[in-house]
Amino acid sequence: MCRMAADLQLILFLQALVTAALAAGTEVGRGAARIVETLGVASSLADRTGGSAPGLVFRVWRVAHFPGILRVGSGAPEQGEAGFRAYDQALEHLLETR
C-alpha cells in the first residue's frame, strides 16, 4: 500500500514539475532534462529497488494525467496543450535512451 502511495505521489510530482517548467517558460529540452534528473532522485528516495523508476512514473503519468489535459473541454489553453505535448515528446525521448 505504501509503495502505491509513493507511486501516486511521484506521478503527481511529475505533473507539478512539468506544470512549473511550462509556467516558468523553461526551454523544453533543458526543462525535460532537469525533470528527468529530479524525478530520478525522487524515485530513488521512494524506492531503492527500482520499482518506481522514472520511466515507469512517466508511463503512468502519460495514461493517467496527460489525456485529461488534451481532452476537449479540459479548460487547458491551446498554448498549454502544446507545451505539454512538447514535454511529453522530450521526456519520452530522454527516458527511452536511459
Side-chain angles (χ1 to χ4, degrees), residues 40-51:
V41 171
S43 295
S44 68
L45 288 171
D47 183 356
R48 290 180 181 230
T49 67

Side-chain angles (χ1 to χ4, degrees):
M1 189 75 143
C2 289
R3 184 169 174 182
M4 288 185 288
D7 289 343
L8 178 59
Q9 290 299 314
L10 288 168
I11 293 159
L12 295 173
F13 184 53
L14 175 56
Q15 177 71 26
L17 290 171
V18 174
T19 301
L22 286 169
T26 306
E27 187 272 320
V28 174
R30 182 173 174 266
R34 297 293 305 268
I35 287 170
V36 168
E37 178 185 341
T38 304
L39 191 58
V41 171
S43 295
S44 68
L45 288 171
D47 183 356
R48 290 180 181 230
T49 67
S52 295
L56 297 172
V57 173
F58 170 70
R59 283 193 294 272
V60 175
W61 171 82
R62 183 182 248 176
V63 298
H65 288 276
F66 189 51
I69 294 164
L70 302 180
R71 178 182 50 81
V72 173
S74 71
E78 191 175 313
Q79 183 180 10
E81 289 181 11
F84 272 100
R85 280 190 186 100
Y87 270 94
D88 174 65
Q89 291 172 355
L91 290 168
E92 178 182 37
H93 174 73
L94 289 171
L95 291 168
E96 281 183 356
T97 58
R98 285 185 134 216

